[in-house]
């Protein structure tokens, strides 16, 4: 509706709004009669409401008009579009909100994934340091890194690898109570991850055996089963080794067979620490043999273990061998 809207005339000079068959008049009247949403849009600085309208268009003057001004045309047009959109597409803003929430959730997920990946790198670096650096201080530093990654407010949200690797480091430090506690946490949080479950139950078995507690055999058996399902050679080698430890007194022959099996798995998969540990354990059994050939094998294995541990910087393990 512009300044000349009311006075617009046809070719005969008759005011168009006064003609009952004028298309504009008919359209407006039909919309008002059907109670459709009508928005008078004002241009050119026209005043509203108009003073004179045909009787059947009087309702038009009661409607709230929308002004499009020349000085803020784009801004007013965007507001008009938003007003119309709410009428013809009432769910538009809901969809926009859903999209915005989805985008925000995706950004949060990406950020969380980035943080998780960074934490995973710190976790793996910590256990590499503990395994490859021979000093006790290095192991304690790695342990401190892992402990800093625990969620103390909600332990169940902690990455189970944190507890698993803490248990492994406690084993290196000969702290079997802490080893058992962290291994149990890892196994309980990773009940569907057979790699973690297998390794954690193996560490729990080892701690129970060292402390003379019952249940070691069951945990070792569960560790072997989980590691076998996961096709995890490290978990298998260690669980079989821990199981053999339990048998050293009651059934040395069976223990020796277990150590040899652990050695083969470790050798086939280049698990050097576990390979040299198996050499040491085999030597322990063979050193008491009456067979000179077996005693010679024991000495050979000890030499391999000492040299191997020394080359890896594991001087404490070398000394034990």
């Amino acid at each position: 509706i512009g300044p000349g809207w009311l006075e617009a005339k046809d070719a005969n000079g008759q005011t168009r709004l006064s003609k009952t068959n004028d298309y504009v008049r008919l359209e407006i009247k039909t919309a008002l009669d059907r109670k459709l949403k009508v928005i008078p849009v004002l241009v050119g600085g026209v005043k509203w409401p108009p003073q004179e309208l045909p009787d059947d268009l009087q309702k038009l003057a009661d409607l709230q008009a929308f002004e499009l001004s020349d000085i803020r045309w784009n801004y007013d047009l965007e507001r008009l579009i938003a007003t119309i959109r709410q009428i013809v597409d009432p769910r538009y803003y809901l969809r926009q909100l859903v999209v915005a929430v989805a985008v925000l959730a995706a950004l949060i997920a990406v950020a969380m994934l980035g943080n998780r990946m960074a934490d995973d790198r710190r976790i793996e670096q910590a256990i590499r340091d503990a395994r490859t650096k021979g000093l006790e201080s290095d192991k304690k530093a790695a342990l401190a890194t892992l402990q800093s990654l625990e969620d103390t407010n909600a332990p169940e949200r902690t990455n189970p690898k944190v507890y698993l690797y803490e248990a492994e480091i406690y084993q290196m430090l000969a702290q079997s109570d802490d080893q058992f506690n962290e291994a149990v946490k890892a196994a309980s949080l990773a009940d569907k991850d057979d790699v973690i479950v297998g390794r954690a139950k193996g560490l729990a078995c080892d701690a129970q055996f060292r402390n003379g507690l019952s249940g070691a055999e069951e945990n070792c058996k569960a560790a072997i089963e989980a590691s076998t399902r996961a096709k995890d050679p490290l978990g298998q080698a260690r669980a079989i080794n821990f199981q053999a430890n339990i048998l050293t007194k009651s059934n040395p022959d069976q223990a020796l067979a277990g150590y040899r099996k652990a050695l083969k798995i470790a050798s086939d998969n280049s698990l050097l620490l576990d390979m040299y540990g198996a050499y040491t354990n085999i030597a322990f059994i063979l050193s008491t043999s009456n067979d000179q050939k077996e005693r010679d094998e024991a000495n050979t294995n000890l030499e391999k273990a000492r040299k191997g541990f020394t080359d890896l910087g594991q001087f404490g393990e070398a000394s034990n061998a």
Side-chain angles (χ1 to χ4, degrees), residues 69-87:
S69 66
D70 293 339
I71 61 174
R72 58 173 190 271
W73 181 269
N74 290 336
Y75 172 74
D76 287 344
L77 195 60
E78 288 296 328
R79 290 175 54 234
L80 177 59
I81 291 170
T83 301
I84 296 171
R85 180 173 282 132
Q86 291 180 21
I87 299 165

Side-chain angles (χ1 to χ4, degrees), residues 45 47 53 89 103 111 128 152 165 212 220 298:
K47 302 300 181 184
L53 280 173
D89 188 6
V103 170
R128 277 197 298 272
T152 54
Y165 292 156
C220 271

